[in-house]
Amino acid sequence: MWLCTLLPVLFGCLSGSAFSAPRSWLLPRQRPHFDRPGDVIVGGSFSIFYLSIGNLSDFTAPPSELVASGVSNWGYRVAQSFVFAIEEINRSAHLLPNVTLGFSIRNSGDTVHGALHETMSFLTRQQEPIPNYTCQHGSPQAALVGDTRSSLSVSMARLLGLYKFPQVSYGSSLPILSDKIQFPSFMRTLSSDFTSCRAVPQLIIHFQWSWVIILAHDDDFGQQASSLATQELSTAGVCIEYTLHVPSHESLGKIEEIVQMMQKSTARVVLVFLSNSNFQPILYGLLDVAVSGQVWVSKDTLHMGLALNIPGISRVLHSTFGLLHHSSRAIGFPEFLAHLRPSQTPEDMFIKKFWEFTFDCTWPHQGSTMTEGVQLCSGNESLKNQQYALPEVSKIDVAYTAVYSIAHALQDMITHGHQHGKVTDSQDFQPWQLLPALRKVHFKTPDGIKIMFDANGDLVTKFDIFQWQKTPEGIFHSVPVGMIDPQISSGNKMMVHLKEDVQVRCLTAVISLVPSSVCSESCLPGFSQVPRLGVPHCCFDCSPCPEGQFADQRDMKSCLLCPKEQYSSDMRDHCLPRTEIFLAFEEPLGFMLALVALFLSGLAVLVLGVFLKHRDSPVVRANNRSLSYLLLLSLCLCALCALLFLGRPSVLTCLLRQTTFAVVFTVAVSSVLAKTLTVVLAFRVTRPGDRIRVCLSPGASTSVVLIASFMQVILCGVWLATSPPFPDRDMVSEPQHIVIQCQEGSGTIFFCVLGYLGFMAVGTFSVAFLARGLPDVFNETKFLTFSMLLFCSVWIAFLPLYHSARGKSTVAVEIFSILASTAGLLGGIFIPKCYIILLKPGRNTAAWLRQGHQAHQERQSEMLQRRCVPRSTPQIFMT
């Protein structure tokens, strides 16, 4: 007697009498099975007959018996692939040559309690099983193959896991079955839904669709599948417009709501995680509305193929893709089915019902009368012309690989046992001893497919990509167009390979829909994506790149900065090299400014020559001719210092530019100040020997110029000693150019230098303005006031222009201000004097000067009588 461990959670609360009592009220007393003896027995659980229960129990009376409600055409063919594999192995001279495999095929009825009953019956070798007990001896049981649906396999795996009894499923893909803690003895010849749900989005990523809808079942699988797909797609930058969950029970309101949302959707790609029964109501709903031209991608190829049989569905299912596990093909299995006859396998208790269902006939019974119109089964019918629908993807030989896995594990266990002296007889082992060998199995099937399991007991497999194409006759058929290999991946992206002969044809039919399956049109080079608020990141606006940035590819998330030595093109799609610029002598503006500077300098020299030639004339001698000479020399230098601002800046020119400008203009302004003070003080001398008369000496005027200029020289010296100006490259002012300019160094000292010059100019203008009404023969004070007004106006206007100008325009503005202020001083002070000297020589005589004094005294007498002016008499100082 074989005794295994007991699971208290499942069986601890059930007494032994409960299992030993008659069970005919739960299941038929003689349930059909198909057994064949052998040295080692392999069990198989298949959904061959659909079993149903009449009414749910209300626990007041025993429930009704399970009755067969139909035959699974697919399930019986899968069971026959199980038989075909065992017979092929028994004929093999290389695989288990000294072992004959037997089998026991059970019908789970596509129900959980049916699967559990048959599993327990197989383990205990009893029709009415008692857990943990077996009353019959026989060949050792190696493993159990099955079942079809995950809900059946989960219940079976929990029971078989208690005994570490190997189970190999051919159709259960629920991810939880990969948990080896809950299901330690479960294996499967396909991958889990976790892997397939990760593989399906790879097709969408490969075709570069970015705007999709997800249709998923409203259960744990649908929630998990849609969540995994969303995670994969989001990582790849694909957006989900809607995730729609289809209820398990038909709800017309919910179906209509889903159809309406799909109708108003802008996404043209639909990712499907639905069974055929849940998928078809959606398709029928879409047929009634104007929805067409969508691409459908599913993890299940079979139900897509079944849906394509709906009349007119091609308008909705414009192009359909599905995945299928790349599994072994049972070579010769179609011929095996074609030669199948009920008379050959009398022990098969399922074949007659299957025969009646497939060929729509009835077996004759003894003593029964023949009913007119009823076709009798002869047993010679052939399945050759009764192929299962959609043979390319129906996979009716899925149990084939599972049987071969068990056979190779048996051979590895026996071989390993002989080598280590553990197992010497194939009929003397426990099922749990096979489990380690089954987990490590690695072989090739007869058609060359590599078979191995990962650490979770899932088959390491690839996925075939099928596209459903319509023939000219209007019939849909599946065409393999490529493969997805989860084992070869880059990051989270699996390898997708399309066949060369179909790639162009496949893409031509599908890629035409790609532009419409986006939330926003692609951004061209030169533009970047700007996300819209409150919508997925695939919905965006295209914004042109700003100055200095570029986007050289489509759909860039942000623009890239050009290197400092480059600038962005007009299209903002690439960068161009910047050119260095400065205010050169050769360009028109620089040439004109240089000419003006030379002209003013020459004019100042010319005026100086005129003054030197007529140095003894009253006009020249009036108001200190030494100051006039100094002022003319400084104005000549002021005009020439503008040339330092032209040309490519160097270390020397940067040091001399502002300092030379500041010093020579200070000399010029201080000279004007000294001349103005001379006029003002001359009118304050009331008697000979007055102390103020000392201030009217030439030495006093020269001291004013020297002291004022010396202060500016000190400031410039400090500037050059601490933080002198230096050549710099301005990358900001002009986007397309690099402006070579002088950086002023210390901004504080620079503004102190300018501030001092400004203070001198304002002070000089103020004194001249106050003295503008003093009488003078040559109107000296009026000309000084006017010239300083021009000077101050130019530099006041300079400040805003200087700060608003960019690049080499800044230099041009400063040169213009220098020349304009120079021209103002030169023209305002000396042009009237030159006019008298050169054009009115009669006024430049001592006689005319005496007449002017007499006229002035007469006016002063009149003013004294009117008590309007002081009684002092001005004296004109000639130097």
Side-chain angles (χ1 to χ4, degrees), residues 526-529 543-546 548-552 556-562 572:
F527 293 82
S528 64
Q529 296 178 356
S543 175
C545 293
Q549 300 183 23
F550 74 101
D552 57 352
M556 292 191 66
K557 301 297 182 183
S558 61
C559 298
L560 303 177
L561 286 173
C562 287
R572 301 292 192 269

Side-chain angles (χ1 to χ4, degrees), residues 463-476:
F463 296 94
D464 292 318
I465 305 172
F466 284 85
Q467 183 191 16
W468 290 97
Q469 299 179 0
K470 193 174 184 180
T471 63
E473 295 77 18
I475 301 174
F476 281 95

Side-chain angles (χ1 to χ4, degrees), residues 296 298-301 320-324 464-468:
W296 303 76
S298 172
K299 68 175 282 294
D300 192 342
T301 304
T320 306
F321 291 89
L323 300 186
L324 195 64
D464 292 318
I465 305 172
F466 284 85
Q467 183 191 16
W468 290 97

